[in-house]
Amino acid sequence: MADLLGQLESLAMGAREASASAADERALEELRVRFLGKKGELSAVLRGMGALPAGERPRVGEVANRVRDQVEALLAARKASLAGAALEAELSGPALDVTLPGRHLAPRGGRHPVTQVREAIVGVFQRLGYEVTDGPEIELDWYNFEALNIPADHPARDMQDTFYVDEATLGPGEQKGDVVLRTHTSPVQIRAMLRAGKPPIRVICPGRVYRSDYDMTHSPMFHQVEGLCVDEGITFADLKGTLAAFARAFFGPGTRTRFRPSYFPFVEPGAEVDVSCTICGGTGKKDGKRCGTCKETGWLEVLGAGMVHPRLLANVGYDPARHTGFAFGMGVERMAMLRFGIDDLRLFFENDLRFLEQF
Ligand code: DAH
């Protein structure tokens, strides 16, 4: 019996030393197996009990139970102290650097410069009380030309090299020449007036338009914004005030406007509107040299405008004797070129990120 008790005592001592020097949880688990496992040291001692006289067994069993409890307590205590030390080390170690920049998931996208400028233009008119509206890009000849006082044989049609919709794609009852990709946003004037039924009407209509053109300042697809205001007593002074306010809001508070007589079949009188050059401030000179942007004139042409032709009002069933209105139309790409100082319109449509990332 003394032999077995001695073995138990040295087992307990061995466990104490081993657990004190165990470095981590895995080492502790190995110790548990070594001392308390089925094939471990305690089991080996207990197997020796079979050889003892029955009277001595309870005493050895009692000591063996106490030793198991001790070893379990030792391992648990060591585990707790290891965890405490790890936490301590983390807390007293180098602090987490919260100023380290995070990782970007992907490059951030942005709005296309043409979209930005379209929204800026539309935004100014919305603040003036205009409502946004639109019309189809595949348009009937009647809205695009006829109702706008541009009859089939009118020379003004030559100014707009039109894409006609192929015969094969026409609907029932439509003939060659009846359906076009709209060449301007002006047909939305007609649609908006018909939709409203009667004045007052104040709408701003952004959208895509198409012409058979391609060079530094023309692309077969581009964007326009059309404006229309019809009510009782609307005069040319309202048109001037509105566009002058727009020019100041869009190009800057010091911007001046100039109206030159011009001809568009759907307005009378019609005008081309210039703003003081955004590059040289209207002086025509930049750093003592000729300003290339306005070609030294100090003015930039930005849009067409005029008083709605009485024939348009009649075409949509309005009474031209009672109602008057003004309309204007501008090219979004042109405004973007002036705002950002870009000289080739085609850049907008090449989708080159080195260009697009600059906005
Ligand atoms: N639709 C014309 C064009 O594309 C621009 C224009 C001129 C629109 C005068 C208007 C206007 O509303 O009054 O060239």
Side-chain angles (χ1 to χ4, degrees), residues 194-207:
L194 288 172
R195 218 152 28 200
K198 59 178 177 13
I201 179 166
R202 270 201 306 274
V203 290
I204 190 81
C205 333

Side-chain angles (χ1 to χ4, degrees), residues 160 183-186 189 211 224 226-227 264 266-267 271 303-306 327-330:
Q160 306 194 350
T183 59
H184 51 179
T185 43
S186 300
Q189 290 185 34
R211 290 184 203 177
Q224 287 188 336
E226 191 84 13
F264 301 97
F266 33 92
V267 283
L303 53 84
F328 55 87
M330 67 188 92

Side-chain angles (χ1 to χ4, degrees), residues 224-264:
Q224 287 188 336
V225 174
E226 191 84 13
L228 175 70
C229 169
V230 183
D231 203 347
E232 269 177 55
I234 300 288
T235 70
F236 203 92
D238 296 312
L239 171 62
K240 287 186 83 170
T242 301
L243 292 181
F246 163 73
R248 287 192 299 268
F250 184 82
F251 289 111
T255 310
R256 286 166 293 123
T257 31
R258 172 174 90 167
F259 287 65
R260 281 178 293 107
S262 184
Y263 175 71
F264 301 97

Side-chain angles (χ1 to χ4, degrees), residues 157-205:
R157 286 209 185 192
D158 294 347
M159 290 180 1
Q160 306 194 350
D161 289 320
T162 313
F163 288 115
Y164 286 90
V165 170
D166 206 74
E167 270 167 289
T169 351
L170 293 175
E174 288 170 356
Q175 297 183 0
K176 191 173 159 66
D178 283 355
V179 186
V180 301
L181 296 187
R182 67 178 177 192
T183 59
H184 51 179
T185 43
S186 300
V188 187
Q189 290 185 34
I190 303 296
R191 290 186 175 272
M193 286 193 283
L194 288 172
R195 218 152 28 200
K198 59 178 177 13
I201 179 166
R202 270 201 306 274
V203 290
I204 190 81
C205 333

